[in-house]
Amino acid sequence: MKRPTITDIAREAGVSKGAVSYALNGRPGVSEATRHRITAIARELGWAPSSTARALSGGRAGAVGMVLARPADVLGVEPVFPALLTGIQRELGAASLILQVAPDHAAELEVYRRWHGERRADGVLLTGPRRDDVRIAELPRIGLPAVALGGPLGHPGVPSVRMDDAAAVGEVLGYLAGLGHRRVAWIAGPAVLVRSRVRAEAFAAVADRLGLPGARTVHTDLSGDAGTGATRRVLAGPHPPTALLFDTDVLAVAGLTALRELGLAVPGDVSVVAWDDSALCRLVRPALSAVRRPVAEFGALAVSVLRDLLTGGDPGDVCTSPPTLITRGSTGPPRPGP
């Protein structure tokens, strides 16, 4: 008899697969009443927790793979990456994580083919999904189960775990508009990334709803130099923004440096909000207002979805608990106009 999966429990309980994962793993995100109902249904269906290593291996490798197709120097300055690994490893338990850096996506696919051929990984966590991502179609052909870290993708063969970035964008813009800002610029990551598309589309929609005619998006890469250059460019026009929203904490700190070099006060002349509330945001002065995202939960949930996929489930896309805006000294009302 097939072992019940979180998909079966979610169907019986009438809730999302994410809610089932929260309830069964003791994580916040559901009410106590819902948690008790889900666990009762799980017991009725005969569900019992098993070690991740056993569920992943099934007599195979007992390991999950993750390839990072980005320069090592960029990876080294991403403060959220340790939190992601913490969540992944916590959910893996006794299973192993194979981590490798590749120069590009072609090399990444070669790594997947080798892992599958050598039976080194039972499944993989796909980072940085892109528009028209060739990896999404190729991984099912290779025969390697995969869960994408980011979405939604809408691809039946590769479920994704995502955060509600659109809701977070709405919270940030609503906060800035409430302070009186009307000209807000988003220093966004590469336009090819799914997460950049989701955030940029939400930014444009919310700005239109709130009546912010000066809202604009500037795409750049994720390096500190790019953050400095993009900040200088967006402030060079005749009607510069009074608030800047940055796609990462690294971009925000680089932007803060550029603002100081331009002789602009934060938040007196320009308010700054960072995405990803890392230690960097709390150590600089002024401390940065930032969107705090459940990064460790994100990694743990991805492993949980992959385990469900490997044990015969059909998990589909799953969303984490919502991000929240943490306000600090880098945001305030704009200066009165002339």
Side-chain angles (χ1 to χ4, degrees):
M1 182 177 178
K2 185 173 79 72
R3 178 177 178 269
T5 68
I6 65 170
T7 302
D8 301 320
I9 299 168
R11 185 183 304 113
E12 184 70 20
V15 298
S16 70
K17 291 170 283 291
V20 174
S21 179
Y22 302 150
L24 297 181
N25 289 286
R27 293 199 298 267
V30 294
S31 68
E32 283 306 307
T34 300
R35 189 187 308 278
H36 291 152
R37 184 163 61 87
I38 289 172
T39 54
I41 290 172
R43 286 193 299 270
E44 290 173 4
L45 292 177
W47 182 91
S50 60
S51 80
T52 303
R54 277 202 312 275
L56 287 173
S57 67
R60 295 173 292 173
V64 167
M66 186 164 68
V67 180
L68 303 168
R70 69 191 77 182
D73 58 341
V74 173
L75 179 63
V77 296
E78 292 185 349
V80 299
F81 188 64
L84 176 66
L85 286 181
T86 297
I88 290 172
Q89 195 59 62
R90 183 181 68 207
E91 191 69 21
L92 280 173
S96 301
L97 175 66
I98 309 172
L99 187 64
Q100 186 163 333
V101 176
D104 52 45
H105 288 317
E108 180 180 351
L109 284 170
E110 286 305 312
V111 172
Y112 294 145
R113 293 186 182 97
R114 186 176 74 252
W115 282 351
H116 182 61
E118 297 173 356
R119 303 182 72 176
R120 292 189 61 197
D122 300 321
V124 296
L125 303 178
L126 185 68
T127 63
R130 298 173 168 238
R131 299 183 184 186
D132 303 319
D133 198 323
V134 296
R135 300 172 298 168
I136 304 300
E138 191 60 24
L139 276 164
R141 293 194 190 102
I142 294 172
L144 196 56
V147 172
L149 297 174
L153 301 179
H155 194 288
V158 181
S160 69
V161 174
R162 65 182 182 88
M163 303 186 200
D164 195 349
D165 284 344
V169 169
E171 183 181 4
V172 172
L173 276 182
Y175 165 70
L176 292 173
L179 290 174
H181 293 279
R182 292 296 177 266
R183 299 193 305 274
V184 183
W186 171 274
I187 309 297
V192 297
L193 294 177
V194 170
R195 77 177 192 197
S196 296
R197 181 198 68 205
V198 169
R199 295 177 188 178
E201 289 176 352
F203 182 79
V206 175
D208 182 65
R209 175 169 57 83
L210 294 175
L212 306 179
R216 56 180 297 204
T217 298
V218 176
H219 289 281
T220 186
D221 67 46
L222 300 176
S223 68
D225 288 343
T228 301
T231 301
R232 288 180 171 274
R233 288 194 303 274
V234 81
L235 291 168
H239 302 289
T242 61
L244 296 175
L245 173 58
F246 290 89
D247 205 49
T248 70
D249 43 7
V250 172
L251 289 177
V253 172
L256 187 64
T257 300
L259 290 168
R260 286 175 176 162
E261 291 172 347
L262 292 169
L264 296 172
V266 177
D269 295 312
V270 182
S271 286
V272 173
V273 179
W275 214 264
D276 288 327
D277 180 30
S278 71
L280 275 180
C281 299
R282 300 184 291 276
L283 291 173
V284 295
R285 290 295 177 267
L288 296 176
S289 295
V291 174
R292 179 175 294 170
R293 301 194 302 154
V295 178
E297 177 192 331
F298 182 60
L301 189 55
V303 175
S304 178
V305 171
L306 181 59
R307 181 174 59 239
D308 193 12
L309 188 66
L310 289 169
T311 52
D314 182 20
D317 292 341
V318 179
C319 192
T320 68
S321 56
T324 56
L325 173 63
I326 308 299
T327 58
R328 298 191 179 97
S330 67
T331 49
R335 291 193 194 279

